[in-house]
Amino acid sequence: MIPPIAIIGGTGLTTLDTLRMTRQESVTTPYGEPSSPLTYGEIGGRPVVFLARHGQQHTLPPHRVNYRANLWALRQIKVQWVIAVAAVGGIRDDMTPGALAFPDQIIDYTWGRPSTFFEDNLTHVTHIDFSEPYSAELRARLIASAQSLNLAARERCTYAATQGPRLETAAEIRRLERDGCDIVGMTGMPEAALARELGLHYAACAVVANWAAGKTAGEITMAEIERHLTVGMAQVKTLLARLLPTLEPLQP
Ligand code: HPA
């Protein structure tokens, strides 16, 4: 059986209408239940499994997402490629709302989230290499697909993973900027690290939903976020349709 390509959908992508759905399956893992049932289907002739990170009804805030169960559930069904779609705020000047960004680095500012599979019943302590937190191969394919479609896509950037669920203060964003962060979101960690612990080829496709706090006058509104996400997620669907047929199964 050809393993499906996993798409983890974030805010603005709780369902994937381009997916020709074949079935849904509720699964459980040693870490509990994933955020949503696994939705199987097909895009561009490739088998796909879709998982809604915040739940099918978008009710799980970032700090309550069971990241371990989500990644474990995907590994259980032999997934190799994981495309993580996520809404972010734009910090760097070119991170305009509506644009897509493919981060190559992360700084983790989250706390208190179960963030490793390597803690209980160990025969030895394990430290994974995480110098390059995303799959270089999957990033390259995402970027090539975006370029071939002439999408406004930022190819290199550092993702700040904040705790949420509140948005940041303007001073926090200035600090993230000094740290070298270009975009800010609430779900990038521990998701990326858990994927690496399981040996999954994981990369993020971020959609800039708003200017980060203090980057424009006035408050950040949900209406603004939703408006830009509608534009951005339409691009994501186009991108996935182009990308997926190019992702061949890997030799196990
Ligand atoms: N900050 C953190 N997470 C986000 C933002 C933001 O400005 N926009 C969308 N997700």
Side-chain angles (χ1 to χ4, degrees):
M1 198 198 72
I2 301 173
I5 298 164
I7 299 165
I8 304 180
T11 301
L13 196 73
T14 40
T15 57
L16 198 51
D17 51 23
T18 45
L19 183 76
R20 285 183 39 208
M21 186 170 82
T22 49
R23 71 193 162 95
Q24 271 202 332
E25 189 182 18
S26 294
V27 298
T28 186
T29 77
Y31 300 94
E33 291 190 5
S35 302
S36 75
L38 300 179
T39 303
Y40 289 87
E42 182 234 291
I43 294 178
R46 296 284 285 121
V48 168
V49 61
F50 180 80
L51 177 64
R53 185 187 286 114
H54 298 284
Q56 274 185 316
Q57 308 304 325
H58 204 262
T59 48
L60 287 170
H63 64 293
R64 289 279 179 83
V65 171
N66 190 339
Y67 296 95
R68 290 196 297 188
N70 287 354
L71 275 301
W72 194 271
L74 298 179
R75 216 274 299 258
Q76 250 170 203
I77 56 163
K78 308 274 191 288
V79 157
Q80 298 172 320
W81 303 106
V82 182
I83 301 158
V85 182
V88 296
I91 301 177
R92 202 171 74 196
D93 286 351
D94 65 339
M95 292 297 172
T96 333
L100 302 184
F102 306 110
D104 61 335
Q105 282 295 331
I106 313 179
I107 300 181
D108 188 5
Y109 301 91
T110 68
W111 45 271
R113 303 181 180 188
S115 55
T116 181
F117 294 109
F118 295 128
E119 58 184 5
D120 292 322
N121 308 315
L122 298 179
T123 49
H124 53 264
V125 174
T126 304
H127 303 284
I128 54 155
D129 174 74
F130 203 45
S131 317
E132 298 297 331
Y134 299 104
S135 157
E137 199 172 344
L138 185 50
R139 282 191 67 252
R141 310 266 192 116
L142 278 161
I143 292 165
S145 300
Q147 281 171 344
S148 74
L149 290 162
N150 282 322
L151 296 177
R154 315 292 179 247
E155 295 170 22
R156 266 186 194 284
C157 50
T158 297
Y159 176 113
T162 55
Q163 178 70 359
R166 66 166 177 82
L167 294 163
E168 298 71 33
T169 65
E172 284 170 335
I173 293 297
R174 286 196 296 273
R175 172 190 168 206
L176 299 184
E177 199 167 15
R178 287 194 297 277
D179 283 355
C181 299
D182 305 304
I183 53 177
V184 54
M186 301 174 189
T187 56
M189 285 293 281
E191 196 173 88
L194 293 167
R196 177 63 55 83
E197 285 189 351
L198 295 180
L200 301 170
H201 295 260
Y202 172 99
C205 173
V207 179
V208 183
N210 55 282
W211 285 111
K215 288 281 156 191
T216 50
E219 292 182 5
I220 301 168
T221 63
M222 285 312 289
E224 174 195 358
I225 292 183
E226 277 160 24
R227 188 159 43 85
H228 292 123
L229 282 182
T230 306
V231 176
M233 291 305 165
Q235 296 187 55
V236 169
K237 290 176 194 172
T238 311
L239 177 69
L240 291 174
R242 174 67 58 98
L243 168 72
L244 265 40
T246 74
L247 287 179
E248 296 302 333
L250 300 163
Q251 292 305 319

